[in-house]
Amino acid sequence: MGIFKGKISSFELKTFILVVALAYMLPFMVGFSAYILHVLNLALIISVLSLSWSILVSCGQISFGHAAFFGSGAYVSALLAIDYGVPPPVSILISGVFGALMGAGIGGLCFRLGKLTGPYFALSMLAFAEICRIIVINLGPLTRGPLGIYDIPPFLPVFKFWGLTLDLYRDKVPNYYLLLAVLLFTFLVVRKVRNSRIGFAFKCISQDEDAAETVGVDTFRYKLIAITVSGLFAAVSGAFYAHYTHYMEPSHAYSVSWTLLPVVSSLFGGINLLSGPIFGCLIIWCTDEFLFTELLTRGHELLLGALLVIIVIYMPDGFMIKVKELLTSISKGGKAEAVTENVLPRGEEELC
Amino acid sequence: MLKVKKINVGYGDLQVLWETSFTVKRGEIFALVGSNGAGKTTTLKTISGLLKPFSGLIKFLDKNIHGLHPYKIVEEGIIHVPEGRRLFPGMTVLENLELGAYTKKARVKRRDSLENVFNLFPILRERKNQLAGTLSGGEQQMLAIARGLMGAPRILMMDEPSLGLAPKIVLKIFDAIKEINENGVTILLVEQNVYHALKIAERAAVLESGRVVLEGRGEELLGDEHVKKSYLGR
Amino acid sequence: MLWESLLSSIVYGILVGGVYALISMGLALIWGVMDVINLSHGELVLLGGYVAYWLFVLEDLNPLLSLPLAALVVGSIGLIMEKFFVSKIKEAPALNTFLLTYGIGIFIANAILQIWTADYRRVNVSFFLETVSLGPIRVSRGDVLTFSLSFGLIMFTHIILTKTYLGKAIRALTEDRIAAQLMGINDKQVDIIAFVMGSMLAGAAGSLFVSLYYVYPALGGWITAKAFIIVVLSGVGSMSGTILGGVMLGVAESIATTLISASYRELIGFVIFIITLLIKPSGLLGRSSH
Ligand SMILES: Nc1ncnc2c1ncn2[C@@H]1O[C@H](COP(=O)(O)OP(=O)(O)OP(=O)(O)O)[C@@H](O)[C@H]1O
Ligand SMILES: [Mg+2]
């Protein structure tokens, strides 16, 4: 195994560089179409959300309420920017801290006080998202109630000199690169975490929590880390979403979509792969945007639900595993198939 | 009556039984003995359909039964009294017995069967409305056997009925097994209590690491040097 | 004054609790037998509600009369769910069935949205709305009727479970699947029956629910959460426990709503949900998952 390790990672590095280069050139390839770039930008934002969801899964915990972090991040950042004049880059960071604290709080309640596992945790997340939504609706003076917030300032500045305006926001391209960088950063952090000792502990917990406990893994501590990091990135993703779309209202901020999309995306991409949630999300989001919403203007989640059912039954390991097998076999020539099986057992984390 | 022929069985990649073969004749008590982990339970689970053999065949009255669903095998009259009793603890003694007679054939006879098992184990009649989980260990074992008998067995397979019971109760259980056999039920008995098992068995087989190493009459095996050394401690 | 309204709200909570208990019974049945927590249970209840609503609007059929039809329709949906989806992944980790039923729930909720839009719907039968007075307490006829019907259906299910061979097989599977197979029970077949029964209960409960409350497509998660919490409170497969759990939840909600504010009604429901989970850590449900 050790012998192959070097080879694999150089292969991974190549793939990584290739993917980043492709991502870099994408705006050129779509001819700078504002509409396509807009959809892609949203996809990048939601990819961050999917990644954050997958951190929790890598620690064996399923959340059916990531909207709680997403929506709260959106609200915190938007309100700070509008009502307190905090510049969006700072307010986004603060919302990240808020998300992390929220994650730690929920983690403390669920994992320590309630010792909740599996379905119990997943459903309490759902309840937390609902609680957040109802609170935001009812705290009118602070949150502007059910009508929502308009004119949330963009995170990219508008420069004005001598009558000349350089609006970095209206142009989708700078947004694209900025969001790409954010996603890349998130990915590298997640990768770092999952490949570290912490990530190893996550894996132990996800495979058998009781066993991990008996061999001395402080499971509570690691689950707390997982949900804190997860909350942080989910909130940041929500904050970017709010500043990017300018508008937020409670039902949208805490919509079931923000829970459903990461679930479907991560499963589709493959939860055992680090990059699975990203590629899954890009594909799912674009399919949803270009196809599903065209087919069903109202309730396009219907198709997402159907997709989830199909994925769970027919490819619970995600489509990326298949793509990866293909890539590996191409890069290694014909006899690679057997090698892949041995070198990369299911659940092994790699770069791509 | 029951013929097990060269079965290979395992859990996932782990193979437990290797080309195991033996035959149980009509009306006899056949004992399958061996130490912990030899594969005795695995053998019974395979016969009752809980496990599918990788290869080999199992014949009951000239009909191939390997690979059938467990409920089909029960309908054939092969009843398995599992290791550790596995009663329905939240249900009453009577309900447990009724479930024993779940198949259509058994259901028709259930009144007679009930009378029978109550005569065999009178204590169960007294306890019939008590929850099975609240019975003592010995009573639970009696109920497990009785529940098996309710299924109108042609062959009754019992997995370690003496496990964890006081010596006096063990004797009672073995007496009951003899009595059941005298009433015409063929018995396949799995035991770690080798001495008692070989004593009441007409014939027996010794299983070691998933292979049948000895097969013969019960008394013969009792006198066998290997058996004496490995299982009887003399 | 406060005492009177408190007393009324307790009575109201008890009456509503009956419907809650019925809703949770279907969830508990499926959960117990198959170890599947059907996250689409709330959506199945909703579907039953909409069927009753439709029959009411189109055929002017009283929801109490459309109950069997709602049960049948939802039961058939349950049959399809079990046969083509849930049974396909029975061997997979529990997490997968969980995600699967979550997806199915989303699907059903949005299908409801396609058919009946997001509007709030309710069956308004004037006869139901009339109140009757019991001393100082006033309750609506509808509440009393739905409670009685729920109670009756729970009893009926209980009798099936305890008195018939099928019911005993269902309970045997709940207690020990392997042992049940060794009794000659065709477990796959009983699974299907239990799933359909659970769905029918959901459908029946839905037709009662819609004559008490407004329904809308997104309500499913809320209903599932309630049913879930009752099962957590009462344990799987205990009839008295289920009724008690339903009534406890109903009363707690209704008292909290009276004391705090109606606009927080939903919030109270979810807070009770969280608190129950937190202080009752897999308590009664810490049952063995053999
Ligand atoms: N469900 C299972 N999964 C994996 N391996 C198993 C399983 N059940 C049994 N085994 C293994 O198969 C082997 C034989 O087990 P089996 O239960 O048949 O032994 P046994 O002869 O009945 O032993 P005992 O006298 O202790 O009951 C053992 O090594 C055991 O570890
Ligand atoms: Mg054994």
Side-chain angles (χ1 to χ4, degrees):
Chain A
M1 172 126 191
I3 309 168
F4 293 102
K5 198 93 191 171
K7 255 189 189 166
I8 294 295
S9 54
S10 95
F11 163 68
E12 283 169 356
L13 194 66
K14 275 187 222 151
T15 321
F16 181 69
I17 292 170
L18 187 75
V19 169
V20 172
L22 260 174
Y24 171 75
M25 295 194 313
L26 204 56
F28 303 90
M29 284 156 33
V30 300
F32 298 102
S33 149
Y35 171 56
I36 295 182
L37 280 174
H38 178 68
V39 173
L40 282 176
N41 286 344
L42 290 172
L44 293 174
I45 295 174
I46 305 308
S47 293
V48 174
L49 179 66
S50 293
L51 267 177
S52 83
W53 188 82
S54 74
I55 296 174
L56 210 45
V57 167
S58 78
C59 189
Q61 312 300 315
I62 286 206
S63 150
F64 281 150
H66 250 47
F69 300 124
F70 183 89
S72 305
Y75 259 91
V76 166
S77 189
L79 289 172
L80 281 176
I82 290 191
D83 289 347
Y84 302 93
V86 180
V90 179
S91 71
I92 290 175
L93 283 180
I94 297 177
S95 81
V97 174
F98 183 86
L101 289 177
M102 204 172 145
I106 291 180
L109 280 179
C110 289
F111 298 140
R112 167 91 348 135
L113 182 64
K115 301 212 164 41
L116 302 181
T117 53
Y120 302 93
F121 171 71
L123 286 180
S124 49
M125 281 305 297
L126 188 144
F128 277 119
E130 284 299 306
I131 288 174
C132 288
R133 183 176 62 83
I134 300 166
I135 288 179
V136 168
I137 289 179
N138 284 291
L139 282 186
L142 186 67
T143 62
R144 303 172 191 202
L147 292 180
I149 315 173
Y150 296 85
D151 297 326
I152 301 170
F155 44 77
L156 280 176
V158 180
F159 295 109
K160 286 203 170 101
F161 8 55
W162 305 293
L164 224 87
T165 46
L166 175 61
D167 187 344
L168 284 184
Y169 173 73
R170 291 260 165 261
D171 191 352
K172 298 292 174 196
V173 179
N175 280 299
Y176 175 81
Y177 288 116
L178 178 76
L179 291 169
L180 186 64
V182 171
L183 177 60
L184 222 66
F185 173 75
T186 313
F187 173 70
L188 291 174
V189 172
V190 172
R191 175 170 185 271
K192 185 99 190 148
V193 171
R194 283 183 64 173
N195 284 343
S196 68
R197 281 173 53 89
I198 299 178
F200 183 70
F202 284 2
K203 204 156 122 189
C204 295
I205 295 172
S206 77
Q207 272 165 12
D208 189 340
E209 190 166 337
D210 294 334
E213 186 92 49
T214 49
V215 299
V217 177
D218 183 353
T219 55
F220 168 67
R221 178 163 156 251
Y222 288 107
K223 287 194 285 185
L224 196 66
I225 294 176
I227 195 171
T228 306
V229 179
S230 185
L232 188 152
F233 285 111
V236 166
S237 153
F240 271 107
Y241 186 86
H243 290 284
Y244 184 71
T245 58
H246 292 318
Y247 168 68
M248 216 8 85
E249 47 115 0
S251 302
H252 190 54
Y254 296 100
S255 155
V256 67
S257 291
W258 312 129
T259 295
L260 185 60
L261 277 166
V263 177
V264 182
S265 305
S266 303
L267 282 176
F268 181 61
I271 45 178
N272 289 317
L273 291 173
L274 271 175
S275 56
I278 298 180
F279 289 104
C281 186
L282 294 178
I283 295 174
I284 296 288
W285 179 267
C286 292
T287 315
D288 189 36
E289 194 62 36
F290 293 127
L291 184 67
F292 292 175
T293 37
E294 293 298 316
L295 291 174
L296 294 175
T297 42
R298 202 178 50 200
H300 58 105
E301 285 95 351
L302 181 134
L303 294 166
L304 286 176
L307 200 57
L308 178 57
V309 169
I310 292 170
I311 293 170
V312 173
I313 293 181
Y314 294 106
M315 46 177 187
D317 289 325
F319 89 103
M320 284 283 294
I321 292 270
K322 301 219 161 59
V323 173
K324 202 174 67 73
E325 274 165 13
L326 199 73
L327 282 178
T328 323
S329 76
I330 291 170
S331 85
K332 290 202 178 144
K335 53 181 187 279
E337 214 124 340
V339 180
T340 345
E341 291 273 319
N342 296 331
V343 179
L344 306 167
R346 222 173 94 187
E348 189 84 336
E349 284 129 27
E350 317 97 32
L351 189 53
C352 282
Chain B
M1 184 179 202
L2 178 74
K3 190 170 194 163
V4 175
K5 207 166 170 190
K6 292 194 173 177
I7 50 168
N8 289 297
V9 188
Y11 304 89
D13 289 338
L14 174 79
Q15 184 161 352
V16 174
L17 295 184
W18 303 80
E19 305 277 308
T20 305
S21 306
F22 59 87
T23 309
V24 182
K25 293 187 180 141
R26 189 191 295 266
E28 73 177 353
I29 298 183
F30 185 91
L32 187 64
V33 297
S35 52
N36 290 109
K40 306 180 296 290
T41 299
T42 306
T43 308
L44 292 197
K45 280 185 183 167
T46 313
I47 297 171
S48 60
L50 293 174
L51 290 172
K52 307 265 170 284
F54 302 147
S55 65
L57 51 93
I58 302 174
K59 269 192 166 161
F60 183 67
L61 299 171
D62 291 324
K63 183 175 173 190
N64 281 331
I65 57 160
H66 52 271
L68 291 183
H69 280 293
Y71 78 92
K72 289 270 183 206
I73 291 173
V74 174
E75 280 171 4
E76 290 294 325
I78 302 177
I79 308 284
H80 180 175
V81 179
E83 188 174 17
R85 301 161 196 141
R86 302 197 85 138
L87 300 171
F88 303 111
M91 298 169 87
T92 64
V93 168
L94 199 59
E95 282 177 321
N96 269 275
L97 292 173
E98 281 173 321
L99 278 164
Y102 187 80
T103 58
K104 282 205 187 70
K105 270 184 219 159
R107 229 179 275 187
V108 193
K109 297 189 210 158
R110 77 168 182 278
R111 259 170 237 289
D112 292 342
S113 313
L114 202 60
E115 204 48 42
N116 258 338
V117 300
F118 280 159
N119 288 339
L120 189 63
F121 301 116
I123 186 79
L124 293 182
R125 195 197 302 268
E126 290 168 34
R127 299 267 187 270
K128 68 180 178 200
N129 292 321
Q130 194 171 324
L131 291 185
T134 62
L135 295 178
S136 76
E139 289 162 356
Q140 290 199 6
Q141 187 58 56
M142 292 175 202
L143 177 56
I145 295 173
R147 189 180 64 174
L149 283 174
M150 291 296 292
R154 292 205 262 192
I155 178 166
L156 189 65
M157 309 194 293
M158 282 183 266
D159 197 344
E160 309 212 12
S162 73
L163 192 70
L165 300 181
K168 235 174 127 180
I169 315 270
V170 171
L171 289 182
K172 237 174 145 177
I173 297 281
F174 275 102
D175 282 344
I177 294 173
K178 256 192 267 174
E179 196 178 330
I180 294 166
N181 178 247
E182 277 155 16
N183 289 342
V185 180
T186 309
I187 287 179
L188 171 51
L189 177 65
V190 159
E191 261 302 335
Q192 272 192 62
N193 195 332
V194 176
Y195 176 74
H196 280 296
L198 292 184
K199 269 223 120 144
I200 65 166
E202 265 109 67
R203 295 185 321 113
V206 179
L207 201 62
E208 280 177 12
S209 310
R211 295 179 173 85
V212 174
V213 292
L214 275 174
E215 190 175 352
R217 293 167 43 77
E219 291 152 31
E220 254 169 53
L221 290 187
L222 263 180
D224 183 273
E225 282 305 315
H226 177 69
V227 172
K228 271 188 183 166
K229 241 201 271 164
S230 312
Y231 299 100
L232 302 174
R234 358 194 140 138
Chain C
M1 194 54 216
L2 177 69
W3 287 114
E4 261 173 35
S5 66
L6 216 53
L7 200 61
S8 302
S9 68
I10 289 176
V11 171
Y12 175 73
I14 292 174
L15 295 181
V16 169
V19 183
Y20 285 180
L22 182 62
I23 291 175
S24 81
M25 198 161 197
L27 184 77
L29 188 67
I30 295 170
W31 190 344
V33 173
M34 303 171 68
D35 222 356
V36 168
I37 302 175
N38 181 10
L39 285 184
S40 61
H41 192 73
E43 277 78 14
L44 292 181
V45 172
L46 272 189
L47 202 61
Y50 277 97
V51 169
Y53 169 78
W54 221 3
L55 289 170
F56 177 70
V57 173
L58 297 182
E59 303 290 334
D60 204 14
L61 201 61
N62 186 306
L64 304 185
L65 296 178
S66 53
L67 185 143
L69 276 170
L72 273 181
V73 171
V74 179
S76 341
I77 302 280
L79 180 67
I80 294 172
M81 255 176 87
E82 211 291 335
K83 261 201 117 93
F84 296 104
F85 302 107
V86 179
S87 65
K88 288 268 191 301
I89 58 165
K90 237 177 244 162
E91 312 293 321
L95 186 119
N96 290 32
T97 40
F98 205 52
L99 289 166
L100 177 79
T101 55
Y102 179 70
I104 292 176
I106 301 269
F107 181 88
I108 297 178
N110 285 284
I112 289 175
L113 180 69
Q114 304 298 324
I115 304 173
W116 289 287
T117 76
D119 293 347
Y120 283 46
R121 313 272 184 189
R122 179 176 178 176
V123 173
N124 279 314
V125 189
S126 50
F127 173 76
F128 280 13
L129 296 176
E130 279 169 32
T131 54
V132 283
S133 304
L134 297 158
I137 307 156
R138 300 173 65 80
V139 289
S140 77
R141 274 190 188 152
D143 292 341
V144 177
L145 257 175
T146 48
F147 176 81
S148 324
L149 263 172
S150 301
F151 194 78
L153 277 170
I154 291 172
M155 287 305 284
F156 180 65
T157 315
H158 180 69
I159 288 170
I160 291 183
L161 287 180
T162 48
K163 297 284 180 266
T164 68
Y165 252 101
L166 172 67
K168 282 173 192 160
I170 288 177
R171 282 162 61 219
L173 270 179
T174 305
E175 294 212 358
D176 189 332
R177 177 164 289 260
I178 303 278
Q181 283 175 303
L182 292 181
M183 300 299 103
I185 294 169
N186 182 352
D187 59 323
K188 294 207 171 101
Q189 193 186 352
V190 177
D191 275 352
I192 296 178
I193 295 173
F195 205 98
V196 171
M197 259 176 83
S199 308
M200 287 177 77
L201 284 171
S207 75
L208 297 179
F209 193 84
V210 78
S211 48
L212 289 182
Y213 290 116
Y214 282 97
V215 294
Y216 49 93
L219 193 62
W222 191 71
I223 299 177
T224 305
K226 276 197 201 318
F228 184 81
I229 212 66
I230 293 169
V231 181
V232 170
L233 280 170
S234 61
V236 169
S238 136
M239 183 201 59
S240 47
T242 303
I243 294 181
L244 201 68
V247 167
M248 266 163 61
L249 184 66
V251 170
E253 266 183 22
S254 131
I255 288 182
T257 313
T258 317
L259 293 182
I260 305 172
S261 145
S263 71
Y264 281 98
R265 189 191 160 79
E266 256 189 276
L267 181 68
I268 288 162
F270 282 110
V271 170
I272 290 177
F273 178 85
I274 296 270
I275 291 176
T276 314
L277 278 187
L278 289 183
I279 59 178
K280 202 155 187 48
S282 31
L284 289 169
L285 272 175
R287 62 196 191 90
S288 62
S289 48
H290 15 268

